[in-house]
Amino acid sequence: MTNDGLSTIAANIVSVFSQSQIGTNPQNPQTTRVGLITYNQKAYQNADLNKYQSVDDLFEIFYDLNSTSNVEQSILSAGLAKAENLFAEESSGTISRSHYKKVVIVYASSYRDDGPNDPIPVANRLKGSGITIVTVGFDQAGDGELLKKLANVATPGYNFTNTEEGGNLLGRIQGALIETNCFCPTNWIQYRQNHSDPNSYRYGVCIELVGMAAVWKAAKMSCANRWKNSYMVNEYNQQKHDFVLDVVKDNQTGFSDPFSYHIGLSLVSGKWRWDQPNGWEQPILQYWFHWNPMYPTIDSTLTVVLNAQDNEEVATGWENTGAMSTPANYICETSACDTDNYCSSAGR
Protein backbone atom coordinates (compact mmCIF):
# COMPACT_ATOMS: atom_id res chain seq x y z
CA MET A 1 0.00 0.00 0.00
CA THR A 2 1.49 3.35 -1.02
CA ASN A 3 1.17 6.68 0.81
CA ASP A 4 -1.24 7.80 -1.91
CA GLY A 5 -3.23 4.63 -1.29
CA LEU A 6 -3.45 5.37 2.43
CA SER A 7 -4.64 8.90 1.71
CA THR A 8 -7.27 7.49 -0.65
CA ILE A 9 -8.48 5.09 2.05
CA ALA A 10 -8.64 7.87 4.65
CA ALA A 11 -10.80 9.96 2.32
CA ASN A 12 -13.04 6.97 1.67
CA ILE A 13 -13.52 6.22 5.38
CA VAL A 14 -14.43 9.84 6.17
CA SER A 15 -16.85 9.90 3.22
CA VAL A 16 -18.53 6.63 4.24
CA PHE A 17 -19.45 8.13 7.64
CA SER A 18 -19.90 11.76 6.53
CA GLN A 19 -23.67 11.71 7.22
CA SER A 20 -23.44 9.68 10.44
CA GLN A 21 -23.61 10.82 14.05
CA ILE A 22 -20.19 9.78 15.33
CA GLY A 23 -19.31 9.16 18.96
CA THR A 24 -21.08 8.27 22.16
CA ASN A 25 -23.85 10.56 23.37
CA PRO A 26 -25.95 9.55 26.42
CA GLN A 27 -28.76 11.84 25.19
CA ASN A 28 -28.74 10.33 21.69
CA PRO A 29 -28.36 6.55 21.37
CA GLN A 30 -28.53 6.68 17.54
CA THR A 31 -24.79 7.06 17.12
CA THR A 32 -21.94 5.21 15.41
CA ARG A 33 -18.51 4.51 16.87
CA VAL A 34 -15.47 4.15 14.61
CA GLY A 35 -12.10 2.64 15.50
CA LEU A 36 -8.99 2.26 13.35
CA ILE A 37 -6.50 -0.63 13.13
CA THR A 38 -3.53 -0.95 10.79
CA TYR A 39 -1.42 -4.04 10.22
CA ASN A 40 1.70 -5.40 8.53
CA GLN A 41 3.21 -8.49 10.12
CA LYS A 42 1.66 -7.20 13.36
CA ALA A 43 -1.50 -5.23 14.09
CA TYR A 44 -1.68 -1.80 15.70
CA GLN A 45 -4.62 0.01 17.27
CA ASN A 46 -4.50 3.56 15.93
CA ALA A 47 -7.82 4.59 17.45
CA ASP A 48 -10.16 2.90 19.91
CA LEU A 49 -13.94 3.13 19.57
CA ASN A 50 -14.13 6.28 21.66
CA LYS A 51 -11.45 8.47 20.09
CA TYR A 52 -13.57 9.97 17.33
CA GLN A 53 -16.51 11.87 18.83
CA SER A 54 -17.73 13.74 15.74
CA VAL A 55 -17.49 13.66 11.95
CA ASP A 56 -14.89 16.42 12.21
CA ASP A 57 -12.81 14.16 14.45
CA LEU A 58 -12.75 11.56 11.66
CA PHE A 59 -10.44 13.83 9.67
CA GLU A 60 -7.75 12.81 12.16
CA ILE A 61 -7.67 9.54 10.21
CA PHE A 62 -5.57 11.36 7.61
CA TYR A 63 -2.91 11.80 10.33
CA ASP A 64 -3.44 8.32 11.76
CA LEU A 65 -2.73 6.92 8.28
CA ASN A 66 0.17 9.19 7.48
CA SER A 67 2.89 6.76 6.40
CA THR A 68 3.39 3.27 5.02
CA SER A 69 5.39 0.56 6.77
CA ASN A 70 8.88 -0.58 5.81
CA VAL A 71 7.81 -4.16 6.54
CA GLU A 72 6.67 -5.91 3.37
CA GLN A 73 4.60 -8.60 5.09
CA SER A 74 0.88 -7.89 5.33
CA ILE A 75 -0.92 -10.38 7.55
CA LEU A 76 -4.67 -9.83 7.53
CA SER A 77 -5.29 -12.40 10.26
CA ALA A 78 -3.40 -10.15 12.69
CA GLY A 79 -5.60 -7.17 11.80
CA LEU A 80 -8.81 -9.17 12.19
CA ALA A 81 -7.70 -10.56 15.55
CA LYS A 82 -6.94 -7.04 16.74
CA ALA A 83 -10.42 -5.90 15.68
CA GLU A 84 -11.94 -8.84 17.52
CA ASN A 85 -10.10 -7.83 20.70
CA LEU A 86 -11.14 -4.19 20.28
CA PHE A 87 -14.82 -5.15 20.13
CA ALA A 88 -14.44 -7.42 23.15
CA GLU A 89 -12.69 -4.76 25.24
CA GLU A 90 -15.01 -1.86 24.40
CA SER A 91 -18.46 -3.45 24.17
CA SER A 92 -19.23 -2.53 27.75
CA GLY A 93 -19.57 0.86 29.36
CA THR A 94 -22.01 3.20 31.06
CA ILE A 95 -24.34 2.85 28.07
CA SER A 96 -24.84 -0.75 26.96
CA ARG A 97 -24.18 -1.18 23.25
CA SER A 98 -24.44 -4.96 23.16
CA HIS A 99 -27.48 -4.71 20.88
CA TYR A 100 -25.67 -2.47 18.36
CA LYS A 101 -24.49 -4.13 15.14
CA LYS A 102 -20.74 -4.50 14.63
CA VAL A 103 -18.90 -4.21 11.30
CA VAL A 104 -15.27 -4.61 10.26
CA ILE A 105 -14.30 -2.87 7.00
CA VAL A 106 -11.07 -4.33 5.60
CA TYR A 107 -8.95 -2.40 3.09
CA ALA A 108 -6.27 -4.70 1.65
CA SER A 109 -3.80 -4.65 -1.23
CA SER A 110 -2.27 -8.06 -0.52
CA TYR A 111 -3.25 -11.34 1.08
CA ARG A 112 -1.38 -14.15 2.82
CA ASP A 113 -3.05 -17.41 3.74
CA ASP A 114 -0.09 -19.66 4.49
CA GLY A 115 -0.36 -21.71 7.68
CA PRO A 116 -0.90 -19.61 10.82
CA ASN A 117 -1.36 -16.48 8.68
CA ASP A 118 -4.61 -17.76 7.17
CA PRO A 119 -7.29 -15.13 8.00
CA ILE A 120 -10.24 -17.45 7.36
CA PRO A 121 -10.46 -18.95 10.90
CA VAL A 122 -10.51 -15.49 12.50
CA ALA A 123 -12.96 -14.20 9.89
CA ASN A 124 -15.29 -17.14 10.45
CA ARG A 125 -15.12 -16.60 14.21
CA LEU A 126 -16.08 -12.95 13.78
CA LYS A 127 -18.92 -13.73 11.39
CA GLY A 128 -20.08 -16.58 13.63
CA SER A 129 -20.44 -14.11 16.50
CA GLY A 130 -22.67 -11.84 14.41
CA ILE A 131 -20.03 -9.37 13.17
CA THR A 132 -20.27 -8.33 9.52
CA ILE A 133 -17.07 -8.11 7.47
CA VAL A 134 -16.87 -5.80 4.45
CA THR A 135 -13.74 -6.11 2.31
CA VAL A 136 -12.31 -3.59 -0.15
CA GLY A 137 -9.55 -4.94 -2.37
CA PHE A 138 -6.91 -2.66 -3.90
CA ASP A 139 -6.07 -5.05 -6.72
CA GLN A 140 -2.71 -3.61 -7.70
CA ALA A 141 -1.70 -6.70 -9.72
CA GLY A 142 -4.92 -6.54 -11.69
CA ASP A 143 -5.31 -10.32 -11.89
CA GLY A 144 -8.37 -10.59 -9.68
CA GLU A 145 -6.73 -13.13 -7.36
CA LEU A 146 -6.84 -10.78 -4.35
CA LEU A 147 -10.56 -10.24 -4.78
CA LYS A 148 -11.25 -13.97 -5.00
CA LYS A 149 -9.41 -14.57 -1.74
CA LEU A 150 -11.01 -11.63 0.06
CA ALA A 151 -14.43 -12.99 -0.92
CA ASN A 152 -13.79 -15.87 1.50
CA VAL A 153 -13.14 -13.37 4.29
CA ALA A 154 -16.12 -11.10 3.61
CA THR A 155 -19.71 -11.62 4.64
CA PRO A 156 -21.39 -12.92 1.44
CA GLY A 157 -22.19 -10.05 -0.93
CA TYR A 158 -19.89 -7.56 0.80
CA ASN A 159 -16.63 -8.07 -1.13
CA PHE A 160 -15.83 -4.88 -3.08
CA THR A 161 -12.94 -3.36 -5.02
CA ASN A 162 -11.50 0.11 -5.52
CA THR A 163 -12.35 -0.29 -9.21
CA GLU A 164 -16.07 -0.91 -8.68
CA GLU A 165 -18.03 -0.72 -11.92
CA GLY A 166 -19.58 2.72 -12.19
CA GLY A 167 -17.20 4.08 -9.54
CA ASN A 168 -19.76 3.44 -6.79
CA LEU A 169 -17.52 1.96 -4.09
CA LEU A 170 -18.72 4.52 -1.55
CA GLY A 171 -22.36 3.67 -2.21
CA ARG A 172 -21.67 -0.08 -2.01
CA ILE A 173 -19.99 0.22 1.39
CA GLN A 174 -22.74 2.49 2.73
CA GLY A 175 -25.33 0.07 1.37
CA ALA A 176 -23.65 -2.80 3.23
CA LEU A 177 -23.75 -0.78 6.46
CA ILE A 178 -27.42 0.10 5.97
CA GLU A 179 -28.31 -3.55 5.32
CA THR A 180 -26.32 -4.68 8.35
CA ASN A 181 -28.09 -2.12 10.51
CA CYS A 182 -31.47 -3.51 9.45
CA PHE A 183 -31.91 -6.36 11.89
CA CYS A 184 -34.34 -8.09 14.20
CA PRO A 185 -34.49 -8.24 17.99
CA THR A 186 -33.32 -11.40 19.75
CA ASN A 187 -35.61 -14.39 19.08
CA TRP A 188 -37.24 -12.66 16.10
CA ILE A 189 -36.62 -13.88 12.55
CA GLN A 190 -36.03 -11.47 9.68
CA TYR A 191 -38.20 -11.90 6.61
CA ARG A 192 -35.97 -12.46 3.58
CA GLN A 193 -36.36 -13.13 -0.12
CA ASN A 194 -35.45 -16.80 0.10
CA HIS A 195 -35.89 -18.76 3.30
CA SER A 196 -33.41 -21.44 2.21
CA ASP A 197 -30.70 -18.82 1.59
CA PRO A 198 -29.74 -16.93 4.79
CA ASN A 199 -27.76 -14.46 2.66
CA SER A 200 -30.66 -13.49 0.39
CA TYR A 201 -32.07 -9.96 0.48
CA ARG A 202 -33.58 -9.09 3.86
CA TYR A 203 -36.75 -7.04 4.28
CA GLY A 204 -37.49 -4.65 7.13
CA VAL A 205 -39.91 -7.08 8.77
CA CYS A 206 -39.43 -9.45 11.71
CA ILE A 207 -41.60 -12.34 12.85
CA GLU A 208 -41.73 -14.30 16.08
CA LEU A 209 -43.29 -17.72 16.53
CA VAL A 210 -45.20 -18.41 19.74
CA GLY A 211 -45.52 -22.13 20.40
CA MET A 212 -48.06 -21.98 23.21
CA ALA A 213 -51.69 -22.11 22.16
CA ALA A 214 -54.06 -19.20 22.80
CA VAL A 215 -57.40 -18.10 21.40
CA TRP A 216 -57.12 -15.45 18.66
CA LYS A 217 -58.12 -12.45 20.79
CA ALA A 218 -55.56 -13.34 23.47
CA ALA A 219 -52.92 -13.96 20.79
CA LYS A 220 -53.56 -10.49 19.36
CA MET A 221 -52.97 -8.88 22.77
CA SER A 222 -49.89 -11.00 23.34
CA CYS A 223 -48.38 -9.89 20.03
CA ALA A 224 -49.12 -6.23 20.78
CA ASN A 225 -47.11 -6.47 24.00
CA ARG A 226 -44.06 -8.36 22.73
CA TRP A 227 -42.10 -5.48 21.14
CA LYS A 228 -42.41 -1.87 20.06
CA ASN A 229 -45.36 -1.58 17.62
CA SER A 230 -45.71 -5.35 17.25
CA TYR A 231 -48.87 -7.06 15.99
CA MET A 232 -50.11 -10.34 14.49
CA VAL A 233 -48.44 -11.40 11.26
CA ASN A 234 -49.72 -10.12 7.91
CA GLU A 235 -49.61 -12.26 4.77
CA TYR A 236 -49.96 -9.88 1.83
CA ASN A 237 -48.70 -12.30 -0.81
CA GLN A 238 -47.71 -15.90 -1.56
CA GLN A 239 -44.03 -15.25 -0.85
CA LYS A 240 -44.72 -14.01 2.68
CA HIS A 241 -47.18 -16.85 3.33
CA ASP A 242 -44.63 -19.46 2.18
CA PHE A 243 -41.82 -17.88 4.19
CA VAL A 244 -43.86 -17.99 7.39
CA LEU A 245 -44.76 -21.62 6.76
CA ASP A 246 -41.10 -22.52 6.09
CA VAL A 247 -40.10 -20.89 9.39
CA VAL A 248 -42.85 -22.83 11.18
CA LYS A 249 -41.62 -26.09 9.64
CA ASP A 250 -38.10 -25.34 10.92
CA ASN A 251 -39.29 -24.56 14.42
CA GLN A 252 -38.72 -27.27 16.99
CA THR A 253 -40.78 -25.87 19.84
CA GLY A 254 -44.54 -26.18 19.99
CA PHE A 255 -45.28 -26.57 16.24
CA SER A 256 -46.02 -29.93 14.65
CA ASP A 257 -47.86 -31.44 11.67
CA PRO A 258 -50.56 -30.79 10.72
CA PHE A 259 -49.81 -27.12 11.30
CA SER A 260 -52.33 -24.63 12.63
CA TYR A 261 -51.54 -21.08 13.76
CA HIS A 262 -53.32 -17.74 14.11
CA ILE A 263 -52.50 -14.86 11.74
CA GLY A 264 -53.56 -11.20 11.89
CA LEU A 265 -56.60 -11.29 9.60
CA SER A 266 -60.04 -10.50 11.02
CA LEU A 267 -63.44 -9.28 9.92
CA VAL A 268 -63.93 -5.62 10.90
CA SER A 269 -67.09 -3.71 9.89
CA GLY A 270 -67.84 -6.24 7.16
CA LYS A 271 -64.34 -6.25 5.61
CA TRP A 272 -61.38 -8.56 6.14
CA ARG A 273 -58.53 -6.45 7.50
CA TRP A 274 -54.93 -7.03 8.58
CA ASP A 275 -53.85 -6.39 12.14
CA GLN A 276 -51.62 -3.36 12.85
CA PRO A 277 -50.21 -1.63 15.95
CA ASN A 278 -52.77 0.12 18.13
CA GLY A 279 -54.03 3.31 16.51
CA TRP A 280 -52.77 2.48 13.00
CA GLU A 281 -55.12 2.01 10.06
CA GLN A 282 -55.80 -1.66 9.28
CA PRO A 283 -55.28 -2.47 5.56
CA ILE A 284 -58.21 -4.14 3.80
CA LEU A 285 -57.61 -7.58 2.24
CA GLN A 286 -57.41 -6.91 -1.49
CA TYR A 287 -55.54 -8.59 -4.31
CA TRP A 288 -54.24 -11.83 -2.84
CA PHE A 289 -55.87 -14.37 -0.57
CA HIS A 290 -55.25 -17.97 0.40
CA TRP A 291 -58.49 -19.46 1.69
CA ASN A 292 -58.80 -23.20 2.02
CA PRO A 293 -61.63 -24.79 -0.01
CA MET A 294 -65.11 -23.92 1.34
CA TYR A 295 -63.74 -20.89 3.25
CA PRO A 296 -64.47 -18.28 4.42
CA THR A 297 -67.55 -19.63 6.12
CA ILE A 298 -70.39 -17.12 6.29
CA ASP A 299 -71.04 -16.93 10.02
CA SER A 300 -71.16 -13.80 12.18
CA THR A 301 -69.24 -15.57 14.97
CA LEU A 302 -66.32 -16.72 12.79
CA THR A 303 -64.54 -13.41 12.39
CA VAL A 304 -60.83 -14.24 12.72
CA VAL A 305 -58.40 -16.32 10.69
CA LEU A 306 -55.84 -19.04 11.25
CA ASN A 307 -53.58 -20.90 8.86
CA ALA A 308 -54.63 -24.54 8.86
CA GLN A 309 -53.22 -27.67 7.23
CA ASP A 310 -55.88 -30.32 6.71
CA ASN A 311 -53.22 -33.03 6.49
CA GLU A 312 -49.45 -33.34 6.18
CA GLU A 313 -49.61 -33.69 2.40
CA VAL A 314 -51.03 -30.24 1.66
CA ALA A 315 -49.93 -26.68 2.30
CA THR A 316 -51.60 -24.46 4.85
CA GLY A 317 -54.54 -22.21 3.93
CA TRP A 318 -56.75 -19.68 5.66
CA GLU A 319 -59.79 -20.71 7.67
CA ASN A 320 -62.02 -18.38 9.64
CA THR A 321 -62.86 -19.27 13.22
CA GLY A 322 -64.07 -17.65 16.44
CA ALA A 323 -62.01 -15.07 18.29
CA MET A 324 -62.53 -16.87 21.61
CA SER A 325 -63.17 -20.45 20.56
CA THR A 326 -60.10 -22.00 18.89
CA PRO A 327 -56.76 -22.25 20.74
CA ALA A 328 -53.75 -22.34 18.42
CA ASN A 329 -50.13 -21.22 18.22
CA TYR A 330 -49.61 -17.84 16.61
CA ILE A 331 -47.14 -15.61 14.75
CA CYS A 332 -46.28 -12.01 15.64
CA GLU A 333 -44.70 -9.32 13.46
CA THR A 334 -42.87 -6.01 13.91
CA SER A 335 -40.70 -3.65 11.89
CA ALA A 336 -36.97 -4.36 11.82
CA CYS A 337 -34.62 -2.15 13.79
CA ASP A 338 -32.72 0.31 11.59
CA THR A 339 -31.31 3.83 11.48
CA ASP A 340 -34.75 5.44 11.67
CA ASN A 341 -36.42 2.81 13.85
CA TYR A 342 -34.01 2.66 16.78
CA CYS A 343 -34.51 -0.30 19.09
CA SER A 344 -33.33 -0.23 22.66
CA SER A 345 -32.28 -3.48 24.26
CA ALA A 346 -35.65 -3.53 26.05
CA GLY A 347 -37.67 -3.08 22.87
CA ARG A 348 -39.60 -0.02 24.02
Side-chain angles (χ1 to χ4, degrees), residues 279-298:
W280 294 22
E281 183 178 355
Q282 293 180 277
I284 297 173
L285 177 65
Q286 295 185 25
Y287 306 111
W288 183 86
F289 48 85
H290 204 267
W291 297 105
N292 272 338
M294 309 300 292
Y295 287 90
T297 301
I298 307 303

Side-chain angles (χ1 to χ4, degrees), residues 101-326:
K101 303 303 287 185
K102 300 176 177 64
V103 181
V104 176
I105 305 177
V106 175
Y107 295 86
S109 61
S110 63
Y111 184 104
R112 287 190 60 179
D113 56 2
D114 51 309
N117 298 321
D118 187 356
I120 299 302
V122 187
N124 287 344
R125 194 164 65 237
L126 285 166
K127 290 182 285 188
S129 66
I131 297 173
T132 298
I133 301 179
V134 177
T135 60
V136 180
F138 277 67
D139 194 10
Q140 298 174 122
D143 60 4
E145 189 62 26
L146 171 66
L147 302 182
K148 292 178 183 177
K149 290 183 175 181
L150 285 177
N152 296 320
V153 173
T155 296
Y158 295 160
N159 177 33
F160 309 132
T161 171
N162 61 316
T163 57
E164 283 292 314
E165 185 176 347
N168 193 32
L169 173 61
L170 180 63
R172 299 288 295 277
I173 297 174
Q174 289 176 327
L177 296 178
I178 290 171
E179 289 181 13
T180 300
N181 201 42
C182 178
F183 63 97
C184 290
T186 303
N187 298 325
W188 292 73
I189 299 166
Q190 192 156 6
Y191 176 36
R192 58 181 180 264
Q193 193 169 40
N194 187 344
H195 175 264
S196 62
D197 180 8
N199 298 310
S200 61
Y201 182 80
R202 301 189 303 273
Y203 301 103
V205 173
C206 306
I207 63 172
E208 183 180 32
L209 279 62
V210 183
M212 182 176 289
V215 295
W216 191 94
K217 189 172 181 179
K220 173 180 167 64
M221 182 164 289
S222 173
C223 283
N225 284 281
R226 302 188 85 82
W227 197 259
K228 179 173 63 177
N229 292 329
S230 54
Y231 49 95
M232 296 184 78
V233 71
N234 295 179
E235 293 186 344
Y236 293 132
N237 52 44
Q238 185 75 52
Q239 179 182 338
K240 179 78 170 290
H241 172 87
D242 292 346
F243 180 85
V244 171
L245 178 57
D246 286 338
V247 172
V248 167
K249 288 178 178 177
D250 281 352
N251 188 273
Q252 301 297 313
T253 306
F255 289 79
S256 59
D257 293 334
F259 298 114
S260 177
Y261 49 90
H262 293 304
I263 61 174
L265 189 61
S266 62
L267 192 64
V268 180
S269 300
K271 296 183 182 295
W272 292 104
R273 292 179 179 269
W274 290 109
D275 189 30
Q276 290 288 285
N278 290 332
W280 294 22
E281 183 178 355
Q282 293 180 277
I284 297 173
L285 177 65
Q286 295 185 25
Y287 306 111
W288 183 86
F289 48 85
H290 204 267
W291 297 105
N292 272 338
M294 309 300 292
Y295 287 90
T297 301
I298 307 303
D299 188 319
S300 61
T301 65
L302 306 180
T303 58
V304 300
V305 175
L306 53 73
N307 258 322
Q309 187 180 34
D310 291 336
N311 61 70
E312 298 179 17
E313 304 301 321
V314 300
T316 59
W318 300 346
E319 296 182 3
N320 57 319
T321 185
M324 294 291 288
S325 61
T326 307

